[in-house]
Amino acid sequence: MSFSRKMAALAFLAFAASSAAFGSAEFKDGEVIVKYRSGVVRPREAMNLLYNAAGVRAVRYLRGTMKGFEHVLLDESVKVQDAIAEFEKNPMVEYAQPNYIIRIAPSELQESMQNPPPIGGIPCIPGINIPGCDPNAKWPCLIPGIPFPPGCDDSGGGGGGGGGGGNPGNPGNPGTRPDLQPAPPEVVPPMDDPENDKAYGLKKIGAVDSWPSHRGDKQMVVAVIDTGIDYNHEDLSFNVWRNPSPTKNDVAGYDFIHNDGLPFDDQGHGTHCAGTIGAVGGNGKGLSGVNQRVSIMGLKFLSAEGSGTTDGAIQAIDYAVKNGAKVLSNSWGGPGGAENKALYDAVERARTAGVLFIAAAGNDGKDNDNPDEASYPAGFDNENLISVAATDQNDKMAFFSNYGKKTVHVAAPGVNIYSLAPGNGFATMSGTSMACPHVAGAAALLWSKNPTWDFKMVKDTLMGTVDVVPALAPKTVTGGRINVLKALQVTQ
């Protein structure tokens, strides 16, 4: 990735942090999520009157465990706020809310962030103090044809490269999604993975020392709810979940962007997270994930640009729960969580089903204890949620990481993390997005060794066996970074 592209990612990070500070929460114009009261009869005539009053032009019913939810599309002339007010006047409605936009946090920080070059000639960002910046210079646009950051220069064509922008999964044709290939045979006897030493997080959290006694279990299903996964990656395919009862060709998971069973990663973020959780161990290729054996369910609700909506997120969460995932890895979020009741309720339904929800704390350098600054879903208070901050190789909290003495539970490696990239590739990324799958992987490894435990026992054990780091004490609930080796030694 070029220096200019890396610095554009930095600009994106700074802008996102600035926006979050004002408590802004983007939402889709012309769309509302409605939750009806349980047990209330909704006659067709009454519903038609309500739809007409609210200016509804189309209704998408959310089914299964989301029974009672609707994703409604409004007439062009109707404002979201007016439609919500109309819905909430009706006694059949429990609540109505905007369809909030959710994004991955910028993650391509690596060299430019750790070893910044001379400042001269770097563009200024409104409201951000960058000493010596050039007010006449412009950032290159992150995505071709889209003026972001504001005032960016689109002449360079944008795109390309890994991490925060572009389309590393399929740069030549982002619309092409390959068919799922059969899983390769298991490598017997196991062969050393040549690049494990590049993934320092595996050693830091005790995973490497855990493998002689426990490598994981293919019966443990972890859902990576993200930009999708490269389900054919040679260092992941053996550990990709295979749906025993597919109904929509959803063998490896589901794509809520294209509404089909090919959750291919056209961004890179989801594959990187999946690799940390469960890159195949002992196959003589690349590296191992925290689990050398596991089943990774790919759920795509975030686009190639790294954005999605609440309706996609809640459908992905409910799909994962319905199809047997025990751990959900969620490296995404945004502001406005206090109003995002539909997302909170989805995490709560996962809790009711006994599922553990791991969330990235966010990359704004903000205090998640402050509801106006927090990133959600990490800032929620659901009992089954573990919020994860990012640390570096020296156990120092990353400067970009959100924190919270009451709301951020643990820390995990999240700076310069080496993992998988689409197209049989590998990449180094940084962010709480990278810390989150270390904890999701640790939860899966621990739970697979203790299959009779419930989510609370897994969560409590992970939190109770951290390596205490004094610098983390005022920043997290536990004051420590996870250690899965210690967790595996606990008996209950």
Side-chain angles (χ1 to χ4, degrees):
M1 189 179 194
S2 68
F3 170 72
S4 63
R5 197 61 45 198
K6 290 177 182 176
M7 294 310 296
L10 170 56
F12 183 92
L13 172 62
F15 181 84
S18 178
S19 298
F22 290 100
S24 62
E26 299 174 278
F27 56 83
K28 291 273 285 187
D29 287 333
E31 300 186 15
V32 172
I33 296 174
V34 183
K35 170 67 167 66
Y36 295 94
R37 297 187 187 279
S38 299
V40 172
V41 177
R42 291 179 276 149
R44 175 168 296 186
E45 182 178 356
M47 291 303 300
N48 287 337
L49 289 172
L50 176 57
Y51 292 149
N52 288 336
V56 174
R57 65 176 175 84
V59 180
R60 298 172 179 170
Y61 300 100
L62 304 182
R63 305 186 185 279
T65 56
M66 292 176 289
K67 185 178 181 181
F69 280 88
E70 289 178 349
H71 174 205
V72 302
L73 308 182
L74 307 175
D75 292 332
E76 290 185 5
S77 61
V78 178
K79 294 182 179 179
V80 167
Q81 295 90 332
D82 293 340
I84 289 174
E86 195 65 43
F87 274 109
E88 292 196 329
K89 288 193 303 186
N90 192 291
M92 295 186 294
V93 174
E94 182 176 331
Y95 62 79
Q97 67 167 69
N99 192 13
Y100 289 108
I101 293 173
I102 295 166
R103 302 183 188 279
I104 59 173
S107 54
E108 182 78 354
L109 308 178
Q110 32 181 358
E111 297 96 344
S112 64
M113 302 297 281
Q114 301 306 312
N115 300 293
I119 286 294
I122 291 180
C124 299
I125 307 173
I128 305 296
N129 180 24
I130 303 179
C133 63
D134 182 354
N136 297 316
K138 291 185 177 182
W139 300 102
C141 296
L142 283 173
I143 304 165
I146 298 178
F148 193 86
C152 64
D153 180 3
D154 199 26
S155 62
N167 181 18
N170 202 353
N173 187 354
T176 300
R177 293 174 297 141
D179 291 334
L180 176 68
Q181 300 302 311
E186 184 168 14
V187 175
V188 180
M191 300 172 62
D192 289 340
D193 301 303
E195 298 191 297
N196 275 349
D197 287 344
K198 294 183 180 180
Y200 76 87
L202 299 174
K203 185 70 174 177
K204 177 68 71 171
I205 70 167
V208 174
D209 293 331
S210 300
W211 296 332
S213 61
H214 188 65
R215 303 175 67 199
D217 192 327
K218 295 268 287 183
Q219 297 301 309
M220 174 57 60
V221 181
V222 180
V224 176
I225 301 176
D226 211 288
T227 61
I229 61 173
D230 181 355
Y231 36 74
N232 293 327
H233 196 294
E234 64 180 4
D235 206 18
L236 186 65
S237 178
F238 179 78
N239 278 350
V240 169
W241 176 69
R242 309 282 162 159
N243 189 349
S245 304
T247 57
K248 296 182 178 180
N249 197 34
D250 54 334
V251 178
Y254 202 78
D255 182 337
F256 295 93
I257 297 290
H258 300 95
N259 197 31
D260 63 26
L262 291 174
F264 184 75
D265 184 5
D266 51 8
Q267 205 282 340
H269 190 267
T271 299
H272 197 275
C273 293
T276 296
I277 296 166
V280 181
N283 65 344
K285 297 177 181 179
L287 71 156
S288 174
V290 177
N291 298 262
Q292 298 196 319
R293 295 292 179 269
V294 70
S295 289
I296 300 290
M297 178 190 293
L299 297 176
K300 177 179 176 63
F301 87 99
L302 297 168
S303 69
E305 289 73 38
S307 66
T309 54
T310 296
D311 76 290
I314 64 178
Q315 289 185 77
I317 293 168
D318 281 87
Y319 179 100
V321 171
K322 177 183 176 182
N323 287 278
K326 298 297 290 181
V327 178
L328 314 184
S329 183
N330 304 275
S331 291
W332 45 268
E339 294 78 35
N340 201 341
K341 296 178 183 178
L343 182 57
Y344 180 91
D345 284 352
V347 181
E348 193 63 11
R349 287 193 296 278
R351 181 198 64 80
T352 301
V355 173
L356 199 54
F357 189 98
I358 317 298
N363 290 358
D364 303 315
K366 300 292 184 179
D367 186 352
N368 276 1
D369 289 353
N370 182 344
D372 294 331
E373 294 186 344
S375 176
Y376 296 91
F380 287 147
D381 63 358
N382 308 78
E383 186 184 17
N384 62 324
L385 186 147
I386 300 178
S387 173
V388 187
T391 51
D392 64 14
Q393 195 162 356
N394 298 314
D395 279 335
K396 294 180 179 178
M397 180 170 280
F399 73 92
F400 55 77
S401 179
N402 285 9
Y403 53 90
K405 180 64 176 175
K406 297 178 182 177
T407 54
V408 177
H409 299 91
V410 298
V415 176
N416 294 334
I417 301 303
Y418 187 74
S419 186
L420 309 184
N424 291 333
F426 300 86
T428 300
M429 296 186 185
S430 298
T432 56
S433 287
M434 285 62 250
C436 173
H438 278 89
V439 177
L445 192 66
L446 176 62
W447 212 341
S448 66
K449 185 184 178 185
N450 301 281
T452 62
W453 286 13
D454 59 21
F455 77 81
K456 192 174 186 304
M457 296 168 74
V458 175
K459 176 179 177 177
D460 289 348
T461 301
L462 286 174
M463 292 178 61
T465 54
V466 296
D467 286 334
V468 175
V469 178
L472 297 177
K475 301 286 189 177
T476 63
V477 176
T478 59
R481 186 250 313 128
I482 62 161
N483 186 321
V484 70
L485 178 63
K486 287 171 143 182
L488 287 166
Q489 293 169 346
V490 171
T491 58
Q492 294 194 19

